[in-house]
Amino acid sequence: MKHIFKILIVVLLVFACKNNEEVKTTESESKVFEANWESLANHKADPEWFHDSKLGIYFHWGVYSVPAYGSEWYPYRLYRVNEYPDYKEYHEKNYGKLEEFGYHDFIPMFKAEKFDAENWADLFKAAGAKFAGPVAQHHDGFAMWDSELNPWNSADMGPKKDITGEILTALKKRGLKTMTSFHHARLRQRHEGDSIKWDTYNSHFAYHPDFPTSAEDADLKKFYGNMPQKEFDQYWLDQVNEVVDKYSPDMLWYDVWLNHVAEDKVQEMSAHFLNNGLKTGQEPVLIAKHDDLPKNMSVLDIEQGGKKDVSEKVWMTDITVSDKGSWCYTHGQVYKSPELLLRNMIDVWSKNGVVLLNISPMADGTINKEQRELLTGVGSWLDTYGESVYGTRPFHIYGFGHAKAADGAHGGQSAKVEYSADDIRFTTSKDKKSLYVFLLGKPEPGTKINLGKLNNIGYGPATPVKRVVELKSGKEVEWERTERSHSFIIPEDVELSGLANVFKMELE
């Protein structure tokens, strides 16, 4: 009898294990994403790590960094000789006739001899970034990775270095999440058969029989996007999948124009990336502008701008350190002041946003002194006040003040609002036990900061305030609550920041 009982126990255990394996298999299979919007909607668009991160860095750096004239749209404007004659004039004065020296002829001049992935990764971490990565391919068809698909790539030409591989490896060693951005959906020439439309907007390179943009050479056709739509759509997809398979970035970021790629290819891209995340144990994030991807499976990015109020859903803005609109390095480039840059970043954080900050390396791989000082200045401020930024969530009101925000060129408000100490912003800790008050400037000691109404029902936070401290020093400051407001006094004996200052209201 005992023998039969033992056999029965074994049978039951085997059945239980098998059943458990089947459950696990079913669960695993249920998580595999199919290439359709219904399946992709099951993806959590904004994982906790992304919501907590607040700051990332990427860089516009490529062949367009060689002429360093105008902007990274140099190749677009170069071949539109009637609309942008100054580009043709600059080009021919410095490099020769456009018919003889095309954009692709800059590639041997893009040597990146001073590129140091370890140094760049150290700089990004010192700046307070929690994720970073390259513009993997801009509109111009040059791949910044070791590609087997695109013959025009940084490992085989120009730098002769796997830029994407080196920088992502260095970032991962330092515990940063990684991203790659893709802009090449715009590359294909869409009007080669219609001379009236050769230089219209929807194609990055203008088609013209006098220029290499119309060359029939198989490789040049890939570089200049001179190929049929169906062939291009597959080429677009294959390159993204190659980067995902080789480097497994945590984030893919898209610079619009996905509507120019076949919808099924965009779905295939999304499913491939998300399924790769399942294999690697990552929590991947897809980021796009406008309506390029459904909002239930991606994060919205607003270029050079921000929300005008608190958003229920986390979002992103990509902004650049330059003050005049160029995203790549250009001769005589002018940069934002530290005050302008950081205060606008705080405004984004107060509205449930994440900042993607762009820098502009020179063609040789130098990140110049001005940009380094901006980055380390932001990082130094975050070293002191990071508690009020990383891992926080928005308050139910973002703040108040007197600054006037112009509309952004790509939606929302401008990323260049002039704030002062009269402008207040808020964030809260996840546990709701701390309310952080940002003063977007340096107030005078002894100034009374009146916070007014902090709750839509009544005049205070959800729970009573225990004390108020200046975050840098931890010094408790004089504060007061009335029936209609909270206020505190700027202490006389603390060293304040010239960029922005934070006071912490500790709640019961």
Side-chain angles (χ1 to χ4, degrees), residues 129-159:
K130 299 301 181 183
F131 61 89
V135 170
Q137 186 173 170
H138 203 252
H139 311 312
D140 65 347
F142 189 77
M144 295 288 282
W145 71 90
D146 183 8
S147 178
E148 300 298 322
L149 301 167
N150 186 343
W152 307 89
N153 70 80
S154 66
D156 293 330
M157 295 182 171

Side-chain angles (χ1 to χ4, degrees), residues 86-327:
D86 57 315
Y87 278 76
K88 182 174 185 288
E89 180 182 349
Y90 175 86
H91 185 87
E92 295 193 341
K93 178 181 178 181
N94 290 278
Y95 305 107
K97 290 290 185 181
L98 189 52
E99 296 85 351
E100 299 169 1
F101 190 102
Y103 180 68
H104 63 282
D105 292 309
F106 282 118
I107 295 174
M109 302 168 68
F110 178 42
K111 298 179 180 179
E113 63 270 24
K114 296 182 180 179
F115 170 63
D116 184 340
E118 301 293 332
N119 178 269
W120 285 24
D122 283 339
L123 177 62
F124 299 163
K125 186 167 185 177
K130 299 301 181 183
F131 61 89
V135 170
Q137 186 173 170
H138 203 252
H139 311 312
D140 65 347
F142 189 77
M144 295 288 282
W145 71 90
D146 183 8
S147 178
E148 300 298 322
L149 301 167
N150 186 343
W152 307 89
N153 70 80
S154 66
D156 293 330
M157 295 182 171
K160 302 290 181 69
K161 298 174 183 177
D162 181 0
I163 302 296
T164 296
E166 289 188 28
I167 192 66
L168 296 194
T169 297
L171 293 167
K172 290 174 183 178
K173 282 166 53 178
R174 289 157 179 80
L176 274 67
K177 300 288 188 180
T178 59
M179 66 160 282
T180 49
S181 82
F182 292 96
H183 311 234
H184 64 304
R186 185 185 175 80
L187 175 63
R188 195 186 92 79
Q189 293 184 31
R190 295 178 169 85
H191 305 297
E192 66 277 9
D194 186 349
S195 61
I196 296 175
K197 294 184 177 181
W198 275 348
D199 59 355
T200 52
Y201 184 69
N202 283 338
S203 301
H204 195 63
F205 289 106
Y207 184 93
H208 197 286
D210 291 341
F211 303 143
T213 58
S214 66
E216 290 300 316
D217 174 83
D219 286 347
L220 282 174
K221 286 166 73 76
K222 283 188 172 182
F223 186 72
Y224 287 108
N226 186 17
M227 64 182 78
Q229 183 70 51
K230 187 173 182 180
E231 180 184 346
F232 175 79
D233 289 345
Q234 190 64 48
Y235 184 52
W236 174 88
L237 172 64
D238 290 344
Q239 289 185 85
V240 177
N241 286 350
E242 182 179 47
V243 168
V244 169
D245 292 340
K246 287 176 73 78
Y247 310 109
S248 291
D250 297 287
M251 304 161 59
L252 295 184
W253 185 99
Y254 288 97
D255 185 27
V256 298
W257 293 293
L258 294 189
N259 61 307
H260 286 316
V261 178
E263 183 178 31
D264 63 322
K265 299 304 178 187
V266 176
Q267 292 171 327
E268 287 181 44
M269 172 278 298
S270 302
H272 183 79
F273 175 56
L274 299 183
N275 287 328
N276 185 74
L278 293 178
K279 288 193 300 183
T280 59
Q282 294 168 280
E283 295 178 281
V285 181
L286 282 162
I287 302 168
K289 298 177 181 177
H290 308 304
D291 293 321
D292 271 5
L293 289 173
K295 300 300 182 290
N296 58 8
M297 47 82 72
S298 67
V299 171
L300 172 68
D301 179 273
I302 301 175
E303 180 179 336
Q304 290 279 55
K307 296 276 189 176
K308 295 184 177 181
D309 206 341
V310 176
S311 171
E312 289 188 10
K313 186 176 180 181
V314 66
W315 55 284
M316 175 182 276
T317 181
D318 60 309
I319 59 175
T320 187
V321 295
S322 70
D323 193 42
K324 300 299 181 184
S326 175
W327 293 74

